[in-house]
């Protein structure tokens, strides 16, 4: 499955809103996504025609990163898209000297937890009843920049 990871641009927003609707109970709107343009690290996986098939959003505060969403269209899952998004995000986080990047994931979402673990995220806590529909705890997972990462950046 051929795809390229690019920074989010205005032209991606309608496609990202579609991804949101396909992936989440409470999707972000196109306008909410537009508000993130030029902020943080928002990366889009596009297919060979330039159509968005997945994305990762990471808001940044000083030297910290907070992933808002990782989403891939259902038909493109298990094709390496999310893995590529997380790897590219780590490169951007290193280049921006972020000390860590953290996220929440549903406690029952074993495939996502495995993906994040493979990408270097470690469980650091829980948020009780964080998710709705259904109500569920979130596992907090964090990627930490290491001294080796700092030397490579």
């Amino acid at each position: 499955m051929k795809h390229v990871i690019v920074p989010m641009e205005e032209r991606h927003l309608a496609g990202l809103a579609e991804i949101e609707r396909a992936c989440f109970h409470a999707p972000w709107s196109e306008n909410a996504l537009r508000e993130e343009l030029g902020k943080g690290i928002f990366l889009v996986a596009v297919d060979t025609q330039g159509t968005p098939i997945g994305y990762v959003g990471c808001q940044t505060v000083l030297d910290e990163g907070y992933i808002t969403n990782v989403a891939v269209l259902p038909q493109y899952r298990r094709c390496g898209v999310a893995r590529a998004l997380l790897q590219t995000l780590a490169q951007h986080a290193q280049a921006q000297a972020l000390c860590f990047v953290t996220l929440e994931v549903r406690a029952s979402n074993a495939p996502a937890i495995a993906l994040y673990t493979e990408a270097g995220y470690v469980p650091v806590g829980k948020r009780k009843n964080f998710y709705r529909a259904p109500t569920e705890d979130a596992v907090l997972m964090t990627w930490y920049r290491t001294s080796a990462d700092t030397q490579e950046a």
Side-chain angles (χ1 to χ4, degrees):
M1 141 89 269
K2 296 268 188 191
H3 61 274
V4 178
I5 309 298
V6 298
M8 180 175 75
E9 296 178 1
E10 176 80 28
R11 65 188 169 100
H12 299 126
L13 297 179
L16 297 182
E18 283 184 35
I19 292 169
E20 280 283 316
R21 287 189 295 275
C23 296
F24 299 112
H25 170 73
W28 285 28
S29 67
E30 189 171 331
N31 284 336
L33 289 160
R34 182 174 287 107
E35 289 178 16
E36 299 302 323
L37 282 171
K39 299 178 186 173
I41 305 167
F42 281 73
L43 303 169
V44 181
V46 296
D47 66 12
T48 54
Q49 284 78 45
T51 303
I53 60 172
Y55 86 101
V56 60
C58 179
Q59 296 173 340
T60 57
V61 178
L62 302 174
D63 61 352
E64 304 170 357
Y66 299 91
I67 291 181
T68 56
N69 286 332
V70 178
V72 176
L73 286 171
Q75 65 268 35
Y76 293 99
R77 292 182 185 157
R78 303 213 180 268
C79 296
V81 176
R83 181 177 294 106
L85 285 163
L86 290 171
Q87 288 170 344
T88 306
L89 174 63
Q91 293 166 358
H92 283 260
Q94 291 168 4
Q96 292 185 25
L98 299 184
C99 290
F100 67 84
V101 175
T102 196
L103 59 85
E104 294 98 357
V105 58
R106 280 186 181 271
S108 66
N109 193 344
I113 291 170
L115 171 72
Y116 299 137
T117 300
E118 181 183 307
Y121 289 75
V122 294
V124 295
K126 287 195 177 195
R127 293 196 197 276
K128 190 85 175 140
N129 300 323
F130 182 79
Y131 290 103
R132 300 284 177 253
T135 299
E136 185 174 353
D137 293 351
V139 176
L140 278 169
M141 298 186 77
T142 302
W143 168 90
Y144 295 96
R145 189 181 60 177
T146 65
S147 58
D149 294 334
T150 304
Q151 293 168 2
E152 292 171 13

